[in-house]
Amino acid sequence: MNRFTQVITAQDADIDILGHVNNAVWVRWIQDLAGAHWEAVAPPDQQAAYVWVVTRHEIDYRGNLAAGESVTAETWVASPRGARFDRHVRFTGMDGRVKVEAVTTWALIDRATGRLLRVRPEIAERFLSDTSGT
């Protein structure tokens, strides 16, 4: 399985009235991480032809993050089912504690037609094999 990671640092604009990263920011980070993973594994012709859209988020908030604190964001995908697959995401603080975990469902769209597409093996392979070099 191909895992993709990035380090993200919370900025002042990410912080809510309670003094920690706003829930909507975690969702944005999940989406940004998924996009970065796609860009890291997909060749330019696939990036130009297809786009992924989220159809469902299931998020467990387990800890907080303040401005200036960082997390390691890690994502990986399960085998596709038709046009969709589940993406797993984990944000782990520098203290080793999981701050947020999520399972999100994504669908593959043909950019030219706007229609759902079955995830072909050559696309799924890029996410499932350990060849991207994160």
Side-chain angles (χ1 to χ4, degrees), residues 25-128:
V25 172
W26 290 106
V27 172
R28 178 172 42 89
W29 288 352
I30 289 167
Q31 292 184 184
D32 291 349
L33 184 65
H37 188 192
W38 171 242
E39 290 172 6
V41 301
D45 63 318
Q46 287 183 0
Q47 292 181 43
Y50 312 119
V51 64
W52 292 96
V53 295
V54 69
T55 62
R56 183 172 193 274
H57 286 296
E58 181 179 331
I59 304 171
D60 293 314
Y61 299 97
R62 303 187 189 288
N64 297 319
L65 197 66
E69 294 181 327
S70 298
V71 288
T72 298
E74 177 182 31
T75 188
W76 63 97
V77 300
S79 295
R81 297 176 317 275
R84 293 176 173 82
F85 69 71
D86 287 339
R87 173 176 291 282
H88 299 265
V89 179
R90 181 178 301 130
F91 294 94
T92 305
M94 297 300 118
D95 60 2
R97 293 184 179 178
V98 174
K99 305 299 182 182
V100 171
E101 286 186 292
V103 178
T104 62
T105 305
W106 294 77
L108 183 63
I109 304 289
D110 182 294
R111 284 186 190 265
T113 66
R115 298 183 69 138
L116 282 173
L117 291 175
R118 179 174 292 278
V119 180
R120 297 190 322 261
E122 64 270 17
I123 295 172
E125 175 182 288
R126 297 190 171 279
F127 289 107
L128 301 174

